Amino acid sequence: MIYDNEKEKMLAGKLYNANDENLIIERQAVKDLCFQHNQLLPSKITERKNLIKKLFHKTGENFHIEQPFYCDYGYNIEVGENFYTNMNVVILDCAKVTFGDNVLIAPNCGFYTAGHPFDIEQRNNALEYAYPISIGNNVWIGAGCTILPGVNIGDNTVIGAGSVVTKDIPSNVLAFGNPCRVIRSI
């Protein structure tokens, strides 16, 4: 398939140039919206929600995102009902990031769809790739977790604090560690 621009390559999971002028412009606009969100008084809940609705592709009616919050594009993020993130959550949404209903995210977590090739020349030419992340329903992600490109986490799962999730985690389990692994069923 032939792609017309770097954004199409990014969204298709192909190597793309992250320094593309149009992508930089999009990221800058989103950084401004994140800055606005993060500077609002915490009590300005309606205003904060309205900014997030401008940022995200889809939200449920009931969601709450603590400040500060950061993302790259916003339009690749979908959250379900009763979604909650605590402070210092980062979503690098170069690919789609989907959260189901009743998802709880503790402080200092990162969801990173972007990755860099091992090839030095490609990496030095600002090429990267992005693979989607999917988080199921009724998931709790503990403090300080890192979710890497292409990971799917199943329904009713708990990811323990400090985990680095490099591979898919099934439904109905407790998983933790670096790398994150299933500990037991729940």
Side-chain angles (χ1 to χ4, degrees):
M1 177 168 218
I2 298 173
Y3 300 96
D4 291 330
N5 55 53
E6 297 304 308
K7 182 176 181 177
E8 286 182 5
K9 291 178 191 175
M10 177 182 80
L11 296 175
K14 304 297 181 190
L15 281 178
Y16 67 95
N17 185 336
N19 288 338
D20 175 74
E21 183 178 342
N22 292 322
L23 291 176
I24 290 171
I25 290 168
E26 285 188 2
R27 286 194 306 267
Q28 196 60 52
V30 169
K31 287 177 194 276
D32 287 350
L33 288 174
C34 286
F35 180 83
Q36 289 175 25
H37 173 267
N38 294 334
Q39 298 307 307
L40 285 169
L41 290 171
S43 61
K44 300 289 184 182
I45 293 170
T46 301
E47 292 88 339
R48 289 170 49 202
K49 282 181 108 169
N50 288 338
L51 274 172
I52 294 298
K53 286 182 177 185
K54 285 170 86 174
L55 275 171
F56 288 7
H57 176 71
K58 177 184 164 201
T59 68
E61 287 301 312
N62 186 26
F63 67 91
H64 189 82
I65 296 174
E66 294 291 358
Q67 301 155 298
F69 169 80
Y70 305 96
C71 66
D72 271 346
Y73 297 97
Y75 55 70
N76 283 324
I77 302 172
E78 295 184 5
V79 302
E81 288 298 330
N82 304 314
F83 177 77
Y84 175 81
T85 70
N86 214 313
M87 312 175 239
N88 294 318
V89 168
V90 175
I91 303 175
L92 301 186
D93 62 314
C94 304
K96 190 171 183 178
V97 181
T98 306
F99 298 92
D101 295 335
N102 306 305
V103 172
L104 302 173
I105 301 170
N108 302 314
C109 289
F111 300 81
Y112 308 117
T113 64
H116 301 279
F118 292 140
D119 181 82
I120 294 167
E121 189 174 317
Q122 289 177 329
R123 197 168 57 242
N124 289 344
N125 285 313
L127 294 180
E128 62 183 48
Y129 59 85
Y131 300 145
I133 294 172
S134 177
I135 310 299
N137 297 315
N138 308 306
V139 172
W140 174 23
I141 297 176
C145 287
T146 299
I147 315 299
L148 294 179
V151 165
N152 298 295
I153 297 174
D155 294 340
N156 312 313
T157 287
V158 175
I159 305 296
S163 295
V164 178
V165 186
T166 61
K167 295 182 179 171
D168 291 355
I169 302 295
S171 296
N172 304 304
V173 298
L174 167 65
F176 57 81
N178 181 4
C180 188
R181 64 195 180 287
V182 173
I183 303 302
R184 65 178 175 90
S185 296
I186 53 175

